[in-house]
Amino acid sequence: QRNSTIKSLVPLRPVNSQFTVGAILKPEKLDPVAPFQETSVVFKAAEEKPIRISSDPDTEHDGIENRSHTQPAGPQMSDSVTAFMPTESNNKEAIVILMDPSTVNGTTKRHTSVSRVKGGKREIIDDRKVQPFIKGMYFTIRLKESENRYRDIVVKKDDGFKQILLSTISTEKNALNTEVIKQIMNALETAAVDDSKFVLFTAAGSVFCSGLDFGHIVKNLRNDRNRMSTEIVDTIKSFVNVFIHLKKIIVVSVIGPVIVLGACILPLCDLVWAKEKAWFQTPYMTFGQSPNGCATLTFPRIMGEASANEMLIGGRKLTAQEASAKSLVSQVFLTSTFTQVVMIQIKRLASCNPVMLQKCKALVCSNIMMELEQANERECGMLKKIWSSAEGIESMLKYVQTKTDEFQ
């Protein structure tokens, strides 16, 4: 089956809060939610092109000018779920009503509207009666004001779990700057005290995570090297500690390449599922930096010192299958069936007793918790020394000025 993504049709002027517009699912990227976005946006998908949940570069087309967002990976286990979607003007909460594909060729009493494009103009069809589902399925996103304001991540509460989707606006290729890190920390800390059983962490786009945003770091260190190096390193240390101390199960769905810090935190998570096309790399020597994310402890422990040195010092790139063989990844799934398999696994996990999930994790992690904290402290201490030195900044600056696209 071919995967599809959603191309949104955004109005050029504000619309009435009661107005409803539609968009047709096409094999293209989803445009960002823009200012003056409609209160209700309805999408239509052809039956043979099911709703795409994670992005796939194989379906990308040339000529897309706007930045893209996709629906987060996760199971459609309930009739409605909640997501927090960033906008340029303010943040809104989206209640996403997903129609069961089994209703295709059936009928619904839900209100839907479908837009058509004729002669370069969009035509709005507003039909408030029972509509047939002939070779199509519809879902509605209703936007409303929300106190949960995340710019670079999307947080969705589903049946039994909290989903965090990395979809950065302030950085490229889901890179991590201090603001992105703080948003993820806030979402994880909120998940720690809510009624969710576990956390599902995934990303939108063709790249899962490109690590720290060194351009952002260099810019800040130039202003006040000593103060900013301490501030940024403390943020990274707190970020890693959140992963170390979270009592709930963390599941990671890796949809594409992941490097440096993004790859280093994977051993701190409990289940890591990867697409077969994903790859993993920690080329710290290329960046002139020292490892972080507790990798100096976890990598040798899970894959042996020789393989850990190949990654942390030699910068070896691992395929998804190689990462699985070295225990960096739990399982690898085919790209064509990745979303469906992840949905099945998530549904099974969501049916488990939450107390038992936490107790099981506590038993597994209890013997290594203190060692992880100490490793994080050591790594961040070294990072601070490097970033407060002229040599450290020069190494980062050299990389930023000469870097090529690692993901081509």
Side-chain angles (χ1 to χ4, degrees):
Q1 292 183 345
R2 289 187 59 191
N3 287 327
S4 306
T5 55
I6 305 168
K7 181 180 180 182
S8 63
L9 301 178
V10 181
L12 299 178
R13 58 179 178 80
V15 295
N16 185 281
S17 62
Q18 300 301 316
F19 214 33
T20 301
V21 301
I24 302 174
L25 270 160
K26 295 182 178 180
E28 298 175 340
K29 290 182 175 180
L30 176 64
D31 294 334
V33 179
F36 311 121
Q37 180 67 26
E38 300 83 2
T39 301
S40 180
V41 184
V42 183
F43 300 96
K44 177 180 178 181
E47 181 182 358
E48 65 273 10
K49 295 182 179 180
I51 294 173
R52 178 169 176 73
I53 297 186
S54 61
S55 66
D56 190 332
D58 295 335
T59 62
E60 293 176 4
H61 285 231
D62 294 332
I64 305 300
E65 297 180 356
N66 292 330
R67 190 178 171 282
S68 65
H69 283 261
T70 58
Q71 281 300 105
Q76 300 172 10
M77 295 191 302
S78 62
D79 197 55
S80 65
V81 293
T82 302
F84 305 113
M85 304 180 68
T87 66
E88 293 180 13
S89 58
N90 53 30
N91 290 274
K92 296 175 181 292
E93 177 181 316
I95 300 177
V96 185
I97 303 173
L98 297 172
M99 297 305 302
D100 189 335
S102 63
T103 62
V104 172
N105 297 329
T107 60
T108 179
K109 293 184 179 179
R110 286 199 179 97
H111 162 56
T112 57
S113 298
V114 180
S115 65
R116 298 175 181 172
V117 178
K118 291 185 178 181
K121 297 182 180 180
R122 187 183 58 208
E123 176 184 353
I124 305 299
I125 301 174
D126 192 0
D127 188 355
R128 299 179 181 271
K129 62 184 179 180
V130 174
Q131 298 184 11
F133 279 80
I134 301 176
K135 292 186 178 180
M137 58 184 163
Y138 298 74
F139 65 91
T140 300
I141 300 179
R142 304 185 190 281
L143 301 176
K144 65 180 183 181
E145 296 298 329
S146 171
E147 296 179 357
N148 298 272
R149 298 184 176 182
Y150 295 118
R151 176 177 173 81
D152 299 291
I153 62 174
V154 177
V155 178
K156 185 177 73 173
K157 182 72 177 297
D158 211 321
D159 284 348
F161 69 95
K162 176 72 70 67
Q163 180 175 339
I164 300 173
L165 178 87
L166 184 61
S167 181
T168 59
I169 291 175
S170 58
T171 65
E172 295 182 355
K173 294 180 170 53
N174 289 331
L176 304 174
N177 61 24
T178 52
E179 290 306 312
V180 177
I181 288 174
K182 288 176 182 178
Q183 291 172 51
I184 296 172
M185 287 171 56
N186 182 270
L188 288 172
E189 289 166 352
T190 301
V193 296
D194 65 18
D195 61 351
S196 59
K197 295 181 181 180
F198 61 92
V199 175
L200 172 63
F201 194 88
T202 187
S206 59
V207 176
F208 181 83
C209 179
S210 58
L212 291 174
D213 182 356
F214 288 114
H216 169 82
I217 294 173
V218 169
K219 180 180 177 181
N220 281 276
L221 293 181
R222 278 178 163 179
N223 297 330
D224 188 338
R225 189 165 64 200
N226 291 327
R227 183 179 67 84
M228 291 308 300
S229 62
T230 299
E231 183 177 317
I232 297 172
V233 168
D234 286 347
T235 301
I236 294 172
K237 182 166 68 174
S238 298
F239 174 67
V240 175
N241 276 330
V242 169
F243 280 87
I244 294 173
H245 294 290
L246 189 69
K247 295 181 179 180
K248 294 183 179 180
I249 297 290
I250 303 176
V251 180
V252 185
S253 173
V254 183
I255 48 84
V258 52
I259 66 173
V260 286
L261 182 57
C264 289
I265 62 172
L266 294 180
L268 302 178
C269 303
D270 305 289
L271 294 168
V272 181
W273 301 323
K275 272 188 179 182
E276 60 178 347
K277 68 177 183 179
W279 52 262
F280 307 80
Q281 191 176 26
T282 55
Y284 282 102
M285 300 304 102
T286 302
F287 305 144
Q289 305 301 310
S290 61
N292 46 25
C294 297
T296 55
L297 173 67
T298 57
F299 276 33
R301 179 165 293 200
I302 66 176
M303 64 179 70
E305 289 188 10
S307 294
N309 287 336
E310 279 190 353
M311 288 201 69
L312 298 176
I313 299 175
R316 177 183 171 183
K317 181 189 294 185
L318 298 182
T319 65
Q321 292 294 349
E322 289 172 333
S324 178
K326 295 182 182 297
S327 301
L328 187 61
V329 168
S330 307
Q331 292 190 76
V332 178
F333 302 131
L334 296 175
T335 299
S336 58
T337 58
F338 182 79
T339 298
Q340 295 93 319
V341 175
V342 167
M343 288 168 62
I344 293 171
Q345 300 280 359
I346 287 294
K347 187 174 182 179
R348 182 181 298 121
L349 197 60
S351 67
C352 296
N353 185 297
V355 176
M356 293 301 103
L357 287 174
Q358 290 192 34
K359 287 186 179 297
C360 181
K361 176 171 180 172
L363 288 171
V364 172
C365 299
S366 60
N367 295 328
I368 195 176
M369 187 76 70
M370 186 175 294
E371 293 180 71
L372 290 171
E373 293 172 349
Q374 293 170 351
N376 189 29
E377 187 71 33
R378 288 194 303 269
E379 291 171 354
C380 288
M382 179 61 69
L383 209 55
K384 183 179 177 182
K385 288 181 181 180
I386 293 173
W387 287 354
S388 59
S389 68
E391 294 82 1
I393 296 179
E394 184 179 347
S395 295
M396 271 192 292
L397 182 59
K398 182 180 179 181
Y399 167 73
V400 170
Q401 291 175 339
T402 61
K403 73 174 181 177
T404 57
D405 189 350
E406 304 96 336
F407 307 102
Q408 286 184 342

